[in-house]
Amino acid sequence: MTDMREAARMNQIDPGTPTWLAARNDRAAFRLMLEHGPLTRSRLGELTGLSKPTASQMLARLERVGLIRPVGELSGGRGPNAVTYGVRTDRITGVAISILERSIQAVVVDAVDHEHPIVQIATDAVERTPEGDVRAAVRAACAEAGIDESSVSRVVIGVQAAFFVDGDELSFTDTLPGWPAVGARRRIEEALGLHVTIDNDVNLATMAERSAGAAQHTASFALFWIGEGLGVGVDLGGVVHRGASGGAGEIGYLAVPRTAAALEPDANDFTDLLGGPAVARLLGGDADHLTDLLPRVAGDEAMLTALADRVILAVDPLLAILDPSMIVLGGPTGIAGGDRLAELVTKRIDPAAHPNLTVRTSGTGTQPVLLGARQQLVDQIRDHLEADISLAT
């Protein structure tokens, strides 16, 4: 009964009335078409358990408000071919954006979550302001995907900084030159006319890990991101913990314990111990070439052991404070270390103190920030489209 009342409140329709039932059926039909792809009237009737006439009415209402359209025909033998209907992907699109220190990555997102090409723009070719970065990302992503920019209504932006939503405030903005401490989201929305969501990049990667990575079935976990910089994403029962001002997980700025001196004598914080320059030195190079150096990690037991000795120093405080079910090692360095690094870190954890803990390597691939931003956008676009279903009744 609670779900019925909530659905009715959202549609501003009284529960139990024909209008409410029609809206409920239309919403179910729309979700089935998102899940299964294009459907015929008969197949929609089978999936919903409703009659063919009722399925036809649902399709007609959804088509009338522009949520679906005919996309083909299906031959069924004798008689006319059955028309298949699919969700329109041109009505509303979004762009997922990841702003890195030296580049901006972006990809178009639609309601069906089609795969579109990812573009990468060098930051030295962009006007470094919030609106400049986002404008360049949207234009490049749309051009690469062959999408009309006018269909883009929203963006989700991953930044290497802490973002406080309520105050529209950014902190730890070393990689965001030209971005103000206050008002970045407002500036983008006013300049570009878009709905804007800004989030920390590791938080977005954590969402991706929960939905499509190594932590899909765990109660709680911490994603330890090891790359040029460090960060921790904390997932508590499926909810990312951001802290009172958006700064939860900024472990790179935490002072290292005295035992770290034996590993890195001049290390003051964990970035000095495990950030890009420190790992590059371990690999015999410099931070500018970290990406090229990381393939050396796999299969090099001495290097993996040295990394594990450093990783455990950062993991220990996470275990003491959070006691999660899982630690996920992510970011370029964490992924390069692979399963063997996870095994070596596990061996350095007291099993009596943490008997239910597992350590895993990230399972979200090479673009976890964009993946998390894409997932947010798909949900936003679908929610927006579903809100229009009440207009069809």
Side-chain angles (χ1 to χ4, degrees):
M1 180 62 71
T2 301
D3 290 343
M4 291 174 62
R5 287 174 178 169
E6 178 63 15
R9 182 191 65 77
M10 291 175 63
N11 288 308
Q12 297 182 338
I13 300 170
D14 292 331
T17 65
T19 303
W20 178 82
L21 291 171
R24 184 170 179 266
N25 288 342
D26 293 349
R27 194 178 295 273
F30 185 69
R31 289 172 180 167
L32 285 169
M33 297 176 83
L34 288 170
E35 178 182 355
H36 294 274
L39 299 173
T40 63
R41 178 191 65 166
S42 295
R43 182 58 179 153
L44 181 59
E46 292 172 3
L47 291 171
T48 59
L50 300 172
S51 67
K52 289 183 180 179
T54 301
S56 294
Q57 292 169 5
M58 291 189 294
L59 291 171
R61 288 192 295 265
L62 292 173
E63 185 179 11
R64 187 167 64 243
V65 293
L67 296 180
I68 65 172
R69 63 183 174 190
V71 294
E73 293 184 346
L74 186 65
S75 175
R78 294 182 179 179
N81 293 341
V83 176
T84 58
Y85 292 85
V87 173
R88 290 184 58 175
T89 59
D90 60 337
R91 178 166 168 175
I92 297 177
T93 59
V95 175
I97 301 169
S98 176
I99 299 184
L100 308 173
E101 185 171 8
R102 300 180 183 89
S103 66
I104 300 171
Q105 299 170 342
V107 63
V108 168
V109 180
D110 58 42
V112 184
D113 198 19
H114 283 137
E115 290 290 337
H116 293 287
I118 295 172
V119 296
Q120 184 157 303
I121 311 161
T123 53
D124 58 9
V126 177
E127 174 194 355
R128 295 312 307 272
T129 63
E131 56 271 33
D133 283 356
V134 174
R135 182 184 290 111
V138 170
R139 285 178 177 172
C142 289
E144 188 70 19
I147 299 294
D148 187 345
E149 283 184 51
S150 65
S151 71
V152 176
S153 65
R154 54 193 61 226
V155 292
V156 173
I157 308 164
V159 294
Q160 296 177 332
F163 183 66
F164 179 39
V165 175
D166 292 342
D168 192 4
E169 299 174 12
L170 285 162
S171 54
F172 309 113
T173 56
D174 298 349
T175 61
L176 295 170
W179 285 57
V182 179
R185 181 184 59 201
R186 175 186 56 78
R187 281 178 54 171
I188 299 168
E189 289 181 337
E190 290 179 353
L192 305 183
L194 300 172
H195 179 279
V196 176
T197 300
I198 300 175
D199 207 343
N200 170 261
D201 58 345
V202 179
N203 285 343
L204 289 172
T206 301
M207 296 175 201
E209 206 68 55
R210 162 66 73 181
S211 63
Q216 294 180 57
H217 306 296
T218 192
S220 62
F221 73 96
L223 169 64
F224 182 25
W225 179 278
I226 316 170
E228 292 286 350
L230 307 179
V232 175
V234 180
D235 177 297
L236 302 175
V239 177
V240 174
H241 175 68
R242 291 178 169 80
S245 58
E250 294 291 346
I251 196 171
Y253 300 92
L254 186 67
V256 295
R258 284 175 292 181
T259 52
L263 304 173
E264 192 75 33
D266 297 327
N268 294 309
D269 57 28
F270 277 109
T271 300
D272 293 336
L273 187 68
L274 265 172
V279 173
R281 285 194 299 273
L282 278 176
L283 293 167
D286 58 71
D288 289 339
H289 300 93
L290 179 62
T291 301
D292 298 327
L293 295 169
L294 283 177
R296 298 183 188 176
V297 173
D300 186 332
E301 191 70 9
M303 180 57 59
L304 289 167
T305 298
L307 279 175
D309 288 340
R310 296 178 181 224
V311 169
I312 191 60
L313 294 178
V315 166
D316 275 340
L318 299 179
L319 300 181
I321 296 170
L322 299 173
D323 189 25
S325 303
M326 180 182 292
I327 295 289
V328 178
L329 303 180
T333 302
I335 292 173
D339 293 339
R340 182 55 181 160
L341 178 60
E343 291 173 4
L344 291 171
V345 172
T346 300
K347 289 180 179 179
R348 288 157 172 75
I349 296 171
D350 182 0
H354 303 284
N356 300 314
L357 175 72
T358 56
V359 181
R360 295 284 185 269
T361 306
S362 172
T364 54
T366 59
Q367 301 285 353
V369 178
L370 277 184
L371 178 57
R374 278 179 55 182
Q375 291 169 341
Q376 275 211 42
L377 272 172
V378 169
D379 290 342
Q380 289 181 13
I381 291 169
R382 290 179 177 181
D383 287 346
H384 184 89
L385 291 174
E386 285 189 22
D388 289 345
I389 287 178
S390 59
L391 301 176
T393 56

